[in-house]
Amino acid sequence: MAAPSPGPREVLAPSPEAGCRPATSTSGRRGLLWRLRDKQARLGLFEIGPGHELHQLTCMMQAGLWAATQVSMDHPPTGPPTEEDFSEVLTQVHEGFELGTLAGPAFAWLRHSLGLAEGDYQAALGPGGPYLQFLSTSKSKASFFLSHDQRFFLKTQRRREVRALLAHLPRYVQHLQRHPHSLLARLLGVHSLRVARGKKKFFIIMQSVFYPAGRISERYDIKGCEVSRWVEPAPEGSPLVLVLKDLNFQGKTIDLGPQRSWLLHQMELDTAFLRELNVLDYSLLMAFQHLHEDERGPGSSLIFRTARSVRGVQSPEEPGSQNRRLLPDSPNALHILDGPEQRYFLGLVDLSTVYGLRKRLEHLWKTLRYPGRTFSTVSPARYARRLCQWVEAHTE
């Protein structure tokens, strides 16, 4: 791969501008931004603007990611990542902070293979507009952000979670090569941020499962269990759109029609892969969008195409063994399945929790604490089997 030399490196980074770049000041632009902000408020999203406690942090992230992406634009990948690419660490020094890029060449190749232009990636994550914050129903202490166009999702991670992700990265890439239409979330980058001489913070970037979000009506985070899997819905008329959980989904089904058999098989393939990695506690994200009359059925305005999630990969396997499907001609097609009346957004996320000593002890404690009830901390084999059974029981 034509990329910077492997191993830890430290460079002085260029900067697009000092601080976050303001939007162009024209009446048309102001009107567009006002309408966008009003829509975001109704969706429960909040701009991280001046005065927000996270504004300075996100401005650093934006400036750092702009410079980090510029490196991959100046040194584009020319082939699949090598062992050195997976272990490379690049540290770029900015005024007041440092941003680290872990396995940068490997992620640059992955983004390229997904058909994602680096210029678009840089524009969405750089200082072109404020990040968005939303209220998460997750019990973790992680922070969650969206790029201003809502296309990319950023989440802070613990150091041990980052170690697990990077250790599994070569096999993750291989899995996407073998199964181009996998439901696994598409990881696009792993970074660290250190302010002055403070402690490093780590964060990941992935393609948002819930994109485009304009017409989504319901969102769920499913783990296939019952303990701590209820979220109090937002009051009627509230602007907040919460991600609900398993118990909120009781009495509902996913009507996929002929797509159901594909989904069940892909769930088996993806959860078997995660089981091999000794991973648990991942979630199936789901969202619903009602299809308009002219969007339904074979005569609709939707154009279907056969595509790969990882392009340019030559595989000796037949398409049937790769479990490919017809993808809708829509943004984020890999996470979209259309049923007779609903469009469904589906993706497996949170792929970094390993069933080590900490989780084994947690399993023993929960077994005593919740006798006869189902909870998330179980062996990877049981976790995978149970989530697949949940999908089978709730689809038709």
Side-chain angles (χ1 to χ4, degrees), residues 93-115:
V93 181
H94 299 257
E95 184 177 351
F97 71 97
E98 299 174 357
L99 187 116
T101 300
L102 291 73
F107 281 111
W109 178 85
L110 185 54
R111 294 192 297 268
H112 173 75
S113 69
L114 293 169

Side-chain angles (χ1 to χ4, degrees), residues 21 29 78 95 101 103 142 150 181 189 195 240 254 264 307 335 339 341 371 391 395:
R21 187 165 52 203
R29 181 70 175 232
T78 58
E95 184 177 351
T101 300
Q150 301 185 43
H181 296 168
V195 180
L240 297 180
I254 305 167
L264 295 181
H335 288 301
E341 297 187 358
V391 173
T395 53

Side-chain angles (χ1 to χ4, degrees), residues 33-242:
L33 288 176
W34 185 89
R35 290 192 298 273
L36 178 62
R37 288 168 181 165
D38 178 65
K39 186 174 184 180
Q40 289 167 354
R42 285 185 277 113
L43 290 173
L45 298 173
F46 306 94
E47 285 188 356
I48 303 176
H52 193 289
E53 61 180 351
L54 298 174
H55 181 249
Q56 185 178 8
L57 173 68
T58 56
C59 281
M60 293 177 183
M61 293 170 68
Q62 289 181 318
L65 290 173
W66 187 94
T69 308
Q70 191 63 45
V71 172
S72 60
M73 293 172 69
D74 294 339
H75 303 274
T78 58
T82 65
E83 185 177 346
E84 289 78 13
D85 293 330
F86 285 113
S87 61
E88 177 175 303
V89 178
L90 171 66
T91 302
Q92 293 174 294
V93 181
H94 299 257
E95 184 177 351
F97 71 97
E98 299 174 357
L99 187 116
T101 300
L102 291 73
F107 281 111
W109 178 85
L110 185 54
R111 294 192 297 268
H112 173 75
S113 69
L114 293 169
L116 176 57
E118 289 293 271
D120 292 343
Y121 185 70
Q122 185 184 57
L125 293 168
Y131 286 168
L132 306 174
Q133 184 186 33
F134 61 93
L135 298 181
S136 170
T137 54
S138 169
K139 288 198 167 186
S140 74
K141 296 181 180 180
S143 297
F144 302 85
F145 310 107
L146 285 170
S147 58
H148 63 86
D149 60 0
Q150 301 185 43
R151 187 177 178 185
F152 303 112
F153 179 88
L154 301 90
K155 179 185 178 183
T156 58
Q157 297 270 267
R158 297 183 179 93
R159 185 185 293 269
R160 67 173 180 271
E161 294 171 328
V162 168
R163 286 200 192 104
L165 278 177
L166 294 176
H168 297 156
L169 186 58
R171 295 179 66 183
Y172 168 83
V173 170
Q174 290 175 1
H175 181 76
L176 296 186
Q177 292 174 354
R178 292 171 182 157
H179 305 289
H181 296 168
S182 167
L183 291 166
L184 298 184
R186 288 341 189 239
L187 298 174
L188 304 175
V190 176
H191 298 273
S192 65
L193 179 72
R194 187 201 300 271
V195 180
R197 295 182 179 274
K199 187 178 179 180
K200 278 186 181 179
K201 298 178 183 291
F202 293 89
F203 64 95
I204 63 170
I205 304 169
M206 70 180 196
Q207 200 162 287
S208 175
V209 174
F210 298 154
Y211 174 83
R215 289 165 49 198
I216 288 178
S217 58
E218 299 176 64
R219 297 165 173 81
Y220 293 90
D221 176 310
I222 300 298
K223 291 182 182 288
C225 59
E226 59 179 318
V227 172
S228 300
R229 302 305 297 166
W230 166 264
V231 172
E232 193 64 35
E236 188 174 351
S238 168
L240 297 180
V241 178
L242 299 177

Side-chain angles (χ1 to χ4, degrees), residues 263-320:
L263 175 64
L264 295 181
H265 186 40
Q266 192 59 54
M267 282 293 299
E268 293 283 352
L269 293 170
D270 288 333
T271 58
F273 167 69
L274 295 173
R275 183 180 67 238
E276 291 170 3
L277 297 183
N278 203 32
V279 165
L280 74 157
D281 216 17
Y282 44 90
S283 296
L284 175 64
L285 290 187
M286 300 192 311
F288 299 171
Q289 173 185 308
H290 187 72
L291 290 175
H292 292 155
E293 190 66 35
D294 61 353
E295 294 175 327
R296 301 176 190 174
S300 71
S301 60
L302 292 177
I303 300 173
F304 287 84
R305 56 187 169 87
T306 300
R308 300 184 182 193
S309 67
V310 179
R311 300 188 308 190
V313 176
Q314 300 299 320
S315 171
E317 298 180 71
E318 292 297 322

